Structure formats: structure tokens, C-alpha cells
Amino acid sequence: MKLSSVQPSNNARRVRATAEHLGIALEIIDQPMAEMKTPPYLALNPNGKVPTLVDGDLTLWESRAIMQ
Ligand SMILES: N[C@@H](CCC(=O)N[C@@H](CS)C(=O)NCC(=O)O)C(=O)O
């Protein structure tokens, strides 16, 4: 599972903390802020924000939805 994140993001941090608590390994992708509103990233997350989880064919955004 890949999680797009930026270092100071509290929304990404809550997802990382949940994954760590559950023992789920995440590959953290350091998402450049300057590329968050560009088409390749907007194709993953139309809100242009982090975090975004990619797990195979599943793409999910909104930290609380990812935590669930
Ligand atoms: N409701 C969203 C909020 C996501 C959010 O606001 N992320 C911030 C970082 S903490 C962000 O990507 N900001 C960049 C921007 O708004 O352009 C969630 O819980 O995932």
C-alpha cells in the first residue's frame, strides 16, 4: 500500500498512526506540494490534497475514510 503524504500533514499522520497500530506496512510517497494540483495527482485525488492511499486498483482519499 502506498500513501501519498507530506511531512507536516496531520491528516496523513493519523493514517500512518492507524496503520502502525494495526501492523500494516505503508510505503510513504513524499508528495511534492507543487504537484498536488496537477493532473497526474488530481487523477488519484480530485481534491488535490494528502493523504491518498493506493492499494492495487483501489485509490482512496480523505484520512478518516482511509483509516476505516
Ligand atoms: N479532509 C481531508 C483534509 C486533507 C487536507 O486538508 N490535507 C492538507 C494537508 S494536512 C493538504 O493536502 N493541503 C494542501 C492544500 O489544501 O492545497 C482529509 O482528512 O484527508
Side-chain angles (χ1 to χ4, degrees):
M1 288 185 201
K2 296 181 180 178
L3 187 78
S4 295
S5 175
V6 296
Q7 199 63 20
S9 167
N10 286 330
N11 293 302
R13 189 174 305 135
R14 82 171 100 251
V15 172
R16 295 172 71 158
T18 300
E20 187 171 324
H21 179 70
L22 296 174
I24 296 170
L26 288 178
E27 180 184 344
I28 304 300
I29 309 294
D30 200 13
Q31 175 62 41
M33 295 280 286
E35 294 174 15
M36 253 190 241
K37 310 296 184 202
T38 61
Y41 189 73
L42 290 172
L44 297 176
N45 183 340
N47 295 327
K49 295 177 185 251
V50 293
T52 301
L53 182 83
V54 176
D55 182 20
D57 292 337
L58 174 72
T59 303
L60 200 56
W61 59 93
E62 285 296 325
S63 57
R64 289 168 179 84
I66 297 170
M67 288 164 69
Q68 286 295 319

mmCIF file of all heavy atoms in Angstrom, residues 32-66:
data_model
loop_
_atom_site.group_PDB
_atom_site.id
_atom_site.type_symbol
_atom_site.label_atom_id
_atom_site.label_comp_id
_atom_site.label_asym_id
_atom_site.label_seq_id
_atom_site.Cartn_x
_atom_site.Cartn_y
_atom_site.Cartn_z
ATOM 1 N N PRO A 32 5.292 15.983 -3.547
ATOM 2 C CA PRO A 32 5.688 17.388 -3.649
ATOM 3 C C PRO A 32 4.454 18.299 -3.642
ATOM 4 O O PRO A 32 3.509 18.062 -4.407
ATOM 5 C CB PRO A 32 6.421 17.464 -4.994
ATOM 6 C CG PRO A 32 6.787 16.049 -5.317
ATOM 7 C CD PRO A 32 5.720 15.197 -4.701
ATOM 8 N N MET A 33 4.468 19.317 -2.781
ATOM 9 C CA MET A 33 3.331 20.247 -2.687
ATOM 10 C C MET A 33 3.023 20.874 -4.047
ATOM 11 O O MET A 33 1.853 21.061 -4.397
ATOM 12 C CB MET A 33 3.666 21.365 -1.686
ATOM 13 C CG MET A 33 3.851 20.907 -0.265
ATOM 14 S SD MET A 33 2.314 20.652 0.606
ATOM 15 C CE MET A 33 1.792 22.318 0.908
ATOM 16 N N ALA A 34 4.067 21.190 -4.800
ATOM 17 C CA ALA A 34 3.879 21.887 -6.081
ATOM 18 C C ALA A 34 3.146 21.026 -7.106
ATOM 19 O O ALA A 34 2.633 21.553 -8.094
ATOM 20 C CB ALA A 34 5.240 22.316 -6.636
ATOM 21 N N GLU A 35 3.087 19.725 -6.874
ATOM 22 C CA GLU A 35 2.452 18.829 -7.856
ATOM 23 C C GLU A 35 1.075 18.351 -7.410
ATOM 24 O O GLU A 35 0.444 17.540 -8.076
ATOM 25 C CB GLU A 35 3.365 17.623 -8.113
ATOM 26 C CG GLU A 35 4.665 18.021 -8.799
ATOM 27 C CD GLU A 35 5.636 16.857 -8.913
ATOM 28 O OE1 GLU A 35 5.214 15.695 -8.731
ATOM 29 O OE2 GLU A 35 6.823 17.128 -9.166
ATOM 30 N N MET A 36 0.596 18.898 -6.282
ATOM 31 C CA MET A 36 -0.669 18.405 -5.742
ATOM 32 C C MET A 36 -1.885 18.802 -6.565
ATOM 33 O O MET A 36 -2.923 18.166 -6.471
ATOM 34 C CB MET A 36 -0.843 18.908 -4.310
ATOM 35 C CG MET A 36 -0.644 17.830 -3.291
ATOM 36 S SD MET A 36 -1.154 18.443 -1.710
ATOM 37 C CE MET A 36 0.361 18.328 -0.842
ATOM 38 N N LYS A 37 -1.759 19.882 -7.340
ATOM 39 C CA LYS A 37 -2.909 20.343 -8.146
ATOM 40 C C LYS A 37 -2.685 20.053 -9.630
ATOM 41 O O LYS A 37 -3.292 20.680 -10.489
ATOM 42 C CB LYS A 37 -3.135 21.852 -7.939
ATOM 43 C CG LYS A 37 -3.182 22.296 -6.500
ATOM 44 C CD LYS A 37 -4.339 21.718 -5.703
ATOM 45 C CE LYS A 37 -4.357 22.311 -4.295
ATOM 46 N NZ LYS A 37 -5.077 21.482 -3.339
ATOM 47 N N THR A 38 -1.777 19.141 -9.945
ATOM 48 C CA THR A 38 -1.503 18.809 -11.349
ATOM 49 C C THR A 38 -2.307 17.569 -11.749
ATOM 50 O O THR A 38 -2.682 16.750 -10.890
ATOM 51 C CB THR A 38 0.002 18.555 -11.571
ATOM 52 O OG1 THR A 38 0.405 17.442 -10.766
ATOM 53 C CG2 THR A 38 0.832 19.790 -11.216
ATOM 54 N N PRO A 39 -2.592 17.402 -13.039
ATOM 55 C CA PRO A 39 -3.457 16.306 -13.482
ATOM 56 C C PRO A 39 -3.065 14.910 -12.993
ATOM 57 O O PRO A 39 -3.964 14.148 -12.588
ATOM 58 C CB PRO A 39 -3.402 16.422 -15.016
ATOM 59 C CG PRO A 39 -3.195 17.886 -15.242
ATOM 60 C CD PRO A 39 -2.267 18.334 -14.143
ATOM 61 N N PRO A 40 -1.797 14.526 -12.980
ATOM 62 C CA PRO A 40 -1.497 13.157 -12.524
ATOM 63 C C PRO A 40 -1.935 12.904 -11.079
ATOM 64 O O PRO A 40 -2.476 11.834 -10.771
ATOM 65 C CB PRO A 40 0.027 13.067 -12.661
ATOM 66 C CG PRO A 40 0.391 14.096 -13.663
ATOM 67 C CD PRO A 40 -0.596 15.211 -13.472
ATOM 68 N N TYR A 41 -1.734 13.911 -10.199
ATOM 69 C CA TYR A 41 -2.143 13.700 -8.811
ATOM 70 C C TYR A 41 -3.654 13.866 -8.650
ATOM 71 O O TYR A 41 -4.293 13.112 -7.904
ATOM 72 C CB TYR A 41 -1.398 14.643 -7.850
ATOM 73 C CG TYR A 41 -1.654 14.271 -6.403
ATOM 74 C CD1 TYR A 41 -1.070 13.139 -5.845
ATOM 75 C CD2 TYR A 41 -2.531 15.011 -5.620
ATOM 76 C CE1 TYR A 41 -1.344 12.756 -4.536
ATOM 77 C CE2 TYR A 41 -2.813 14.644 -4.317
ATOM 78 C CZ TYR A 41 -2.213 13.512 -3.770
ATOM 79 O OH TYR A 41 -2.503 13.138 -2.482
ATOM 80 N N LEU A 42 -4.243 14.815 -9.382
ATOM 81 C CA LEU A 42 -5.696 15.012 -9.308
ATOM 82 C C LEU A 42 -6.447 13.783 -9.814
ATOM 83 O O LEU A 42 -7.588 13.542 -9.416
ATOM 84 C CB LEU A 42 -6.113 16.258 -10.113
ATOM 85 C CG LEU A 42 -5.675 17.589 -9.491
ATOM 86 C CD1 LEU A 42 -5.973 18.734 -10.464
ATOM 87 C CD2 LEU A 42 -6.372 17.836 -8.156
ATOM 88 N N ALA A 43 -5.800 12.987 -10.658
ATOM 89 C CA ALA A 43 -6.426 11.736 -11.120
ATOM 90 C C ALA A 43 -6.545 10.742 -9.961
ATOM 91 O O ALA A 43 -7.443 9.893 -9.948
ATOM 92 C CB ALA A 43 -5.607 11.134 -12.255
ATOM 93 N N LEU A 44 -5.653 10.861 -8.989
ATOM 94 C CA LEU A 44 -5.710 9.995 -7.802
ATOM 95 C C LEU A 44 -6.639 10.588 -6.751
ATOM 96 O O LEU A 44 -7.387 9.859 -6.097
ATOM 97 C CB LEU A 44 -4.311 9.827 -7.187
ATOM 98 C CG LEU A 44 -3.249 9.147 -8.041
ATOM 99 C CD1 LEU A 44 -1.911 9.172 -7.302
ATOM 100 C CD2 LEU A 44 -3.666 7.722 -8.360
ATOM 101 N N ASN A 45 -6.531 11.894 -6.564
ATOM 102 C CA ASN A 45 -7.310 12.575 -5.531
ATOM 103 C C ASN A 45 -7.822 13.889 -6.107
ATOM 104 O O ASN A 45 -7.079 14.866 -6.193
ATOM 105 C CB ASN A 45 -6.431 12.820 -4.300
ATOM 106 C CG ASN A 45 -7.196 13.470 -3.160
ATOM 107 O OD1 ASN A 45 -8.249 14.076 -3.381
ATOM 108 N ND2 ASN A 45 -6.663 13.363 -1.960
ATOM 109 N N PRO A 46 -9.097 13.933 -6.512
ATOM 110 C CA PRO A 46 -9.642 15.134 -7.154
ATOM 111 C C PRO A 46 -9.641 16.361 -6.250
ATOM 112 O O PRO A 46 -9.793 17.483 -6.740
ATOM 113 C CB PRO A 46 -11.068 14.745 -7.535
ATOM 114 C CG PRO A 46 -11.296 13.364 -7.083
ATOM 115 C CD PRO A 46 -10.058 12.832 -6.432
ATOM 116 N N ASN A 47 -9.464 16.154 -4.936
ATOM 117 C CA ASN A 47 -9.374 17.293 -4.023
ATOM 118 C C ASN A 47 -7.978 17.920 -4.040
ATOM 119 O O ASN A 47 -7.789 19.009 -3.505
ATOM 120 C CB ASN A 47 -9.717 16.867 -2.592
ATOM 121 C CG ASN A 47 -11.157 16.428 -2.467
ATOM 122 O OD1 ASN A 47 -12.033 16.952 -3.159
ATOM 123 N ND2 ASN A 47 -11.415 15.453 -1.610
ATOM 124 N N GLY A 48 -7.007 17.224 -4.598
ATOM 125 C CA GLY A 48 -5.649 17.755 -4.660
ATOM 126 C C GLY A 48 -5.028 17.926 -3.290
ATOM 127 O O GLY A 48 -4.297 18.885 -3.037
ATOM 128 N N LYS A 49 -5.317 16.992 -2.401
ATOM 129 C CA LYS A 49 -4.778 17.073 -1.032
ATOM 130 C C LYS A 49 -4.165 15.727 -0.648
ATOM 131 O O LYS A 49 -4.380 14.721 -1.326
ATOM 132 C CB LYS A 49 -5.901 17.415 -0.044
ATOM 133 C CG LYS A 49 -6.489 18.803 -0.273
ATOM 134 C CD LYS A 49 -7.646 19.076 0.670
ATOM 135 C CE LYS A 49 -8.292 20.402 0.345
ATOM 136 N NZ LYS A 49 -8.043 21.428 1.322
ATOM 137 N N VAL A 50 -3.444 15.727 0.447
ATOM 138 C CA VAL A 50 -2.957 14.478 1.030
ATOM 139 C C VAL A 50 -3.704 14.251 2.336
ATOM 140 O O VAL A 50 -4.173 15.216 2.947
ATOM 141 C CB VAL A 50 -1.433 14.526 1.290
ATOM 142 C CG1 VAL A 50 -0.654 14.594 -0.004
ATOM 143 C CG2 VAL A 50 -1.036 15.647 2.237
ATOM 144 N N PRO A 51 -3.851 13.019 2.765
ATOM 145 C CA PRO A 51 -3.252 11.801 2.216
ATOM 146 C C PRO A 51 -4.105 11.161 1.108
ATOM 147 O O PRO A 51 -5.303 11.414 1.013
ATOM 148 C CB PRO A 51 -3.212 10.863 3.431
ATOM 149 C CG PRO A 51 -4.426 11.269 4.227
ATOM 150 C CD PRO A 51 -4.557 12.761 4.045
ATOM 151 N N THR A 52 -3.426 10.332 0.307
ATOM 152 C CA THR A 52 -4.098 9.479 -0.671
ATOM 153 C C THR A 52 -3.485 8.088 -0.559
ATOM 154 O O THR A 52 -2.262 7.947 -0.548
ATOM 155 C CB THR A 52 -3.883 10.001 -2.103
ATOM 156 O OG1 THR A 52 -4.387 11.334 -2.200
ATOM 157 C CG2 THR A 52 -4.607 9.129 -3.116
ATOM 158 N N LEU A 53 -4.350 7.094 -0.463
ATOM 159 C CA LEU A 53 -3.890 5.705 -0.381
ATOM 160 C C LEU A 53 -4.105 5.020 -1.726
ATOM 161 O O LEU A 53 -5.173 5.159 -2.326
ATOM 162 C CB LEU A 53 -4.692 4.956 0.686
ATOM 163 C CG LEU A 53 -4.277 3.496 0.901
ATOM 164 C CD1 LEU A 53 -3.075 3.428 1.843
ATOM 165 C CD2 LEU A 53 -5.415 2.665 1.464
ATOM 166 N N VAL A 54 -3.092 4.316 -2.199
ATOM 167 C CA VAL A 54 -3.225 3.483 -3.394
ATOM 168 C C VAL A 54 -2.855 2.063 -3.007
ATOM 169 O O VAL A 54 -1.761 1.804 -2.496
ATOM 170 C CB VAL A 54 -2.325 3.983 -4.550
ATOM 171 C CG1 VAL A 54 -2.413 3.036 -5.746
ATOM 172 C CG2 VAL A 54 -2.724 5.395 -4.970
ATOM 173 N N ASP A 55 -3.819 1.158 -3.211
ATOM 174 C CA ASP A 55 -3.614 -0.255 -2.888
ATOM 175 C C ASP A 55 -4.116 -1.067 -4.076
ATOM 176 O O ASP A 55 -5.321 -1.326 -4.194
ATOM 177 C CB ASP A 55 -4.377 -0.605 -1.608
ATOM 178 C CG ASP A 55 -4.179 -2.057 -1.186
ATOM 179 O OD1 ASP A 55 -3.198 -2.679 -1.637
ATOM 180 O OD2 ASP A 55 -5.010 -2.556 -0.410
ATOM 181 N N GLY A 56 -3.217 -1.413 -4.978
ATOM 182 C CA GLY A 56 -3.638 -2.108 -6.197
ATOM 183 C C GLY A 56 -4.573 -1.218 -7.000
ATOM 184 O O GLY A 56 -4.229 -0.078 -7.315
ATOM 185 N N ASP A 57 -5.766 -1.722 -7.285
ATOM 186 C CA ASP A 57 -6.738 -0.964 -8.073
ATOM 187 C C ASP A 57 -7.539 0.031 -7.228
ATOM 188 O O ASP A 57 -8.319 0.811 -7.763
ATOM 189 C CB ASP A 57 -7.733 -1.918 -8.758
ATOM 190 C CG ASP A 57 -7.063 -2.747 -9.843
ATOM 191 O OD1 ASP A 57 -6.013 -2.312 -10.356
ATOM 192 O OD2 ASP A 57 -7.594 -3.824 -10.167
ATOM 193 N N LEU A 58 -7.362 -0.041 -5.916
ATOM 194 C CA LEU A 58 -8.133 0.844 -5.031
ATOM 195 C C LEU A 58 -7.371 2.140 -4.771
ATOM 196 O O LEU A 58 -6.206 2.110 -4.382
ATOM 197 C CB LEU A 58 -8.394 0.144 -3.692
ATOM 198 C CG LEU A 58 -9.069 1.000 -2.624
ATOM 199 C CD1 LEU A 58 -10.542 1.233 -2.967
ATOM 200 C CD2 LEU A 58 -8.945 0.348 -1.253
ATOM 201 N N THR A 59 -8.042 3.251 -4.993
ATOM 202 C CA THR A 59 -7.485 4.553 -4.634
ATOM 203 C C THR A 59 -8.479 5.233 -3.707
ATOM 204 O O THR A 59 -9.676 5.289 -4.007
ATOM 205 C CB THR A 59 -7.250 5.421 -5.887
ATOM 206 O OG1 THR A 59 -6.385 4.717 -6.778
ATOM 207 C CG2 THR A 59 -6.605 6.745 -5.517
ATOM 208 N N LEU A 60 -7.976 5.726 -2.577
ATOM 209 C CA LEU A 60 -8.865 6.265 -1.557
ATOM 210 C C LEU A 60 -8.263 7.542 -1.006
ATOM 211 O O LEU A 60 -7.063 7.614 -0.759
ATOM 212 C CB LEU A 60 -8.992 5.208 -0.454
ATOM 213 C CG LEU A 60 -10.163 5.238 0.512
ATOM 214 C CD1 LEU A 60 -11.496 5.212 -0.217
ATOM 215 C CD2 LEU A 60 -10.048 4.060 1.475
ATOM 216 N N TRP A 61 -9.103 8.552 -0.800
ATOM 217 C CA TRP A 61 -8.641 9.775 -0.169
ATOM 218 C C TRP A 61 -9.569 10.091 0.996
ATOM 219 O O TRP A 61 -10.537 9.376 1.216
ATOM 220 C CB TRP A 61 -8.561 10.927 -1.183
ATOM 221 C CG TRP A 61 -9.838 11.272 -1.879
ATOM 222 C CD1 TRP A 61 -10.746 12.214 -1.494
ATOM 223 C CD2 TRP A 61 -10.357 10.690 -3.073
ATOM 224 N NE1 TRP A 61 -11.792 12.240 -2.375
ATOM 225 C CE2 TRP A 61 -11.583 11.329 -3.362
ATOM 226 C CE3 TRP A 61 -9.917 9.694 -3.941
ATOM 227 C CZ2 TRP A 61 -12.365 11.008 -4.452
ATOM 228 C CZ3 TRP A 61 -10.699 9.377 -5.041
ATOM 229 C CH2 TRP A 61 -11.896 10.027 -5.284
ATOM 230 N N GLU A 62 -9.255 11.138 1.732
ATOM 231 C CA GLU A 62 -9.905 11.515 2.987
ATOM 232 C C GLU A 62 -9.374 10.607 4.100
ATOM 233 O O GLU A 62 -9.625 9.401 4.135
ATOM 234 C CB GLU A 62 -11.437 11.449 2.926
ATOM 235 C CG GLU A 62 -12.077 12.580 2.150
ATOM 236 C CD GLU A 62 -11.831 13.947 2.803
ATOM 237 O OE1 GLU A 62 -11.797 14.042 4.038
ATOM 238 O OE2 GLU A 62 -11.669 14.913 2.052
ATOM 239 N N SER A 63 -8.637 11.237 5.019
ATOM 240 C CA SER A 63 -7.913 10.473 6.033
ATOM 241 C C SER A 63 -8.818 9.544 6.842
ATOM 242 O O SER A 63 -8.450 8.397 7.117
ATOM 243 C CB SER A 63 -7.159 11.430 6.963
ATOM 244 O OG SER A 63 -8.043 12.350 7.573
ATOM 245 N N ARG A 64 -9.993 10.021 7.193
ATOM 246 C CA ARG A 64 -10.853 9.169 8.038
ATOM 247 C C ARG A 64 -11.396 7.978 7.256
ATOM 248 O O ARG A 64 -11.585 6.886 7.821
ATOM 249 C CB ARG A 64 -11.961 10.011 8.672
ATOM 250 C CG ARG A 64 -11.432 10.947 9.748
ATOM 251 C CD ARG A 64 -12.471 11.982 10.166
ATOM 252 N NE ARG A 64 -11.950 12.854 11.212
ATOM 253 C CZ ARG A 64 -11.202 13.922 10.989
ATOM 254 N NH1 ARG A 64 -10.869 14.267 9.747
ATOM 255 N NH2 ARG A 64 -10.777 14.662 11.997
ATOM 256 N N ALA A 65 -11.649 8.168 5.978
ATOM 257 C CA ALA A 65 -12.094 7.043 5.146
ATOM 258 C C ALA A 65 -10.964 6.019 5.023
ATOM 259 O O ALA A 65 -11.190 4.808 5.111
ATOM 260 C CB ALA A 65 -12.507 7.543 3.763
ATOM 261 N N ILE A 66 -9.738 6.504 4.841
ATOM 262 C CA ILE A 66 -8.591 5.595 4.740
ATOM 263 C C ILE A 66 -8.418 4.834 6.062
ATOM 264 O O ILE A 66 -8.174 3.613 6.063
ATOM 265 C CB ILE A 66 -7.309 6.375 4.391
ATOM 266 C CG1 ILE A 66 -7.442 7.032 3.008
ATOM 267 C CG2 ILE A 66 -6.087 5.448 4.432
ATOM 268 C CD1 ILE A 66 -6.323 8.029 2.691
#
